[in-house]
Amino acid sequence: MLKKRTTNVYKQELKDKMSTESSTTKDSLSTPQPTLPSLEAELSIGEVGAQNLLKRTPHSYLFNQIYGFWFFISWFLLTVIITHEVSTAQYGFFAVALTAYNTILYIVAFGLEDATTTYIPRIFAEHGQGAAAHLIRRLLGIRLLVLLVSVAVIIFGMPVIASIFALLPFPEGKDIANTLRSPALL
C-alpha cells in the first residue's frame, strides 16, 4: 500500500512538472530540455528509513563494541574479587552455578541478539511498527520457550546425566555423579 501511494505521488509530481513545462514560451519551443525526476521522489518510505538506519549503523556498532568491552572488564574484575574473597568450597559452588547459568544463557541466546539488531530495524523501516512489534513478540516467545526447555533439561536431566557419569570406569566419574545428585546443587 505504501509503495502504491508513493508511486501515485511520484506520478502526480511528474504530471505537475509536465503541465508547468507545457506552458509555451518562445524559449521553450526552440529546444526542449529533458527533466530528470528527483531521486527523493522515487524512494519509498521504507527505503528512506533503511537509508537512515544505514547511516546510524557505525554508531550502533561502536556502542555495541564498547558495551562488550565494558562487560568483559567488569566480569573479569568481579571474578578476581570473588576468587580472592571466598573459600575453595564456596568458589567450587560458584563455578558450578556459573557454568549452569552460562549454559542456559548461551542456549537461550543462540544468536537472537544478532538477529534482533539486524532484522527488527529492517522490518521497522520496511513494514512499520506493527510488523516490528509482531517480530519482537515472536522472538520473545521463542526465547521463553527455549529458556523453559533448557531449565527443565538441566533440572530434570541432572539424574540422567549423573547416571551416565556413574557408568564411566574412572573414579572421577563417580565423584561427578555424586556431585550432580547433590540436593544442594538444585
Side-chain angles (χ1 to χ4, degrees), residues 21-33:
E21 290 174 5
S22 67
S23 59
T24 57
T25 62
K26 291 183 181 180
D27 294 334
S28 66
L29 291 176
S30 61
T31 55
Q33 296 293 326

Side-chain angles (χ1 to χ4, degrees), residues 93 96-97 158 178-186:
F93 180 74
V96 169
M158 291 289 223
N178 289 335
T179 304
L180 288 175
R181 289 185 183 128
S182 171
L185 189 60
L186 299 176

Side-chain angles (χ1 to χ4, degrees), residues 6-172:
T6 306
T7 306
N8 290 338
V9 169
Y10 177 67
K11 285 180 184 177
Q12 186 61 38
E13 286 179 2
L14 285 177
K15 285 180 184 177
D16 292 341
K17 283 184 182 181
M18 292 176 77
S19 66
T20 57
E21 290 174 5
S22 67
S23 59
T24 57
T25 62
K26 291 183 181 180
D27 294 334
S28 66
L29 291 176
S30 61
T31 55
Q33 296 293 326
T35 59
L36 298 174
S38 67
L39 183 61
E40 294 157 0
E42 291 181 28
L43 297 177
S44 69
I45 294 173
E47 290 170 340
V48 171
Q51 286 181 354
N52 288 336
L53 285 173
L54 285 174
K55 288 177 186 175
R56 293 190 336 228
T57 299
H59 298 292
S60 299
Y61 181 75
L62 182 64
F63 289 138
N64 187 8
Q65 295 303 311
I66 290 171
Y67 169 74
F69 186 66
W70 171 81
F71 183 77
F72 174 75
I73 296 292
S74 62
W75 189 248
F76 175 75
L77 291 175
L78 182 66
T79 304
V80 168
I81 290 170
I82 288 173
T83 56
H84 287 294
E85 296 296 323
V86 298
S87 67
T88 307
Q90 290 173 332
Y91 181 73
F93 180 74
F94 171 73
V96 169
L98 186 63
T99 302
Y101 168 77
N102 283 334
T103 302
I104 292 172
L105 184 68
Y106 288 135
I107 291 172
V108 168
F110 69 94
L112 283 178
E113 285 85 9
D114 296 331
T116 302
T117 58
T118 302
Y119 293 113
I120 288 179
R122 182 183 298 169
I123 296 294
F124 182 74
E126 292 177 0
H127 301 286
Q129 185 178 7
H134 180 69
L135 179 63
I136 290 170
R137 284 191 295 272
R138 287 181 64 190
L139 288 174
L140 285 174
I142 291 170
R143 283 192 129 174
L144 286 174
L145 180 67
V146 170
L147 176 65
L148 291 174
V149 168
S150 300
V151 169
V153 165
I154 288 176
I155 290 175
F156 300 117
M158 291 289 223
V160 175
I161 295 170
S163 300
I164 292 171
F165 275 109
L167 294 175
L168 294 176
F170 308 110
E172 292 84 13

